[in-house]
Amino acid sequence: ILSAVSFAQNCTVDSLITTAGVYPTVAQGFKDGYVDVDYEQVVQLNTVSDTAIDLGLGGLTDATISYLTIDSVVGMPEGFAFDCNNVDCKIIGGETGCAKMYGKPSLEDGGKTFNLTIKATLYGVLTEGLSIGITGDKPYPIEFSDYSVKILPQQYNGVNKVNDQVF
């Protein structure tokens, strides 16, 4: 399932994050969800300001990152959405932005694991761009994968509930 990103202020940027990456990390993972219980996962993303990009020319080319946009999240459960903390879902190079994935898992989602891919685009200026005829901000698609959300059966006073049977 491909979900478009919608835009609303719905999370607070964690200014303590200063290392480039996505938080929670893949190792930390997204929290589990439960059938018929509102789900929310905040994601923090810190972008680099300088990096090396593989243009397929036989090596890496240095680039200054102007900004990153989160374009979509693939694989979310039906009815889930992903909102950014600003109107254009843009994170300036060297800064941190956040987004929230949310929804209410249905009975059909119970017992399933949804593999997620965050699709984004880095916009940057090649440091050596003039020497190879490339100038201005250029888009470079990137993906953050290996994330997943597991949907568990309903909870009833801390006990799993499946088809009205309490275990």
Side-chain angles (χ1 to χ4, degrees), residues 21-39:
V22 179
Y23 302 90
T25 64
V26 170
Q28 293 167 326
F30 285 7
K31 64 184 175 182
D32 294 338
Y34 294 92
V35 169
D36 288 332
V37 176
D38 289 332
Y39 178 88

Side-chain angles (χ1 to χ4, degrees), residues 32-39 77 80 103-114 149-156 159-164:
D32 294 338
Y34 294 92
V35 169
D36 288 332
V37 176
D38 289 332
Y39 178 88
F80 272 47
K104 184 179 263 187
S106 68
L107 187 59
E108 294 78 29
D109 296 333
K112 295 181 182 175
T113 298
F114 294 84
V149 60
K150 183 177 181 180
I151 306 301
L152 302 171
Q154 288 177 314
Q155 290 283 301
Y156 179 74
V159 178
N160 285 341
K161 180 180 177 185
V162 180
N163 295 331
D164 294 324

Side-chain angles (χ1 to χ4, degrees), residues 123-141:
Y123 291 85
V125 178
L126 298 177
T127 306
E128 304 160 5
L130 291 176
S131 65
I132 58 175
I134 301 174
T135 59
D137 274 340
K138 300 296 177 197
Y140 304 96

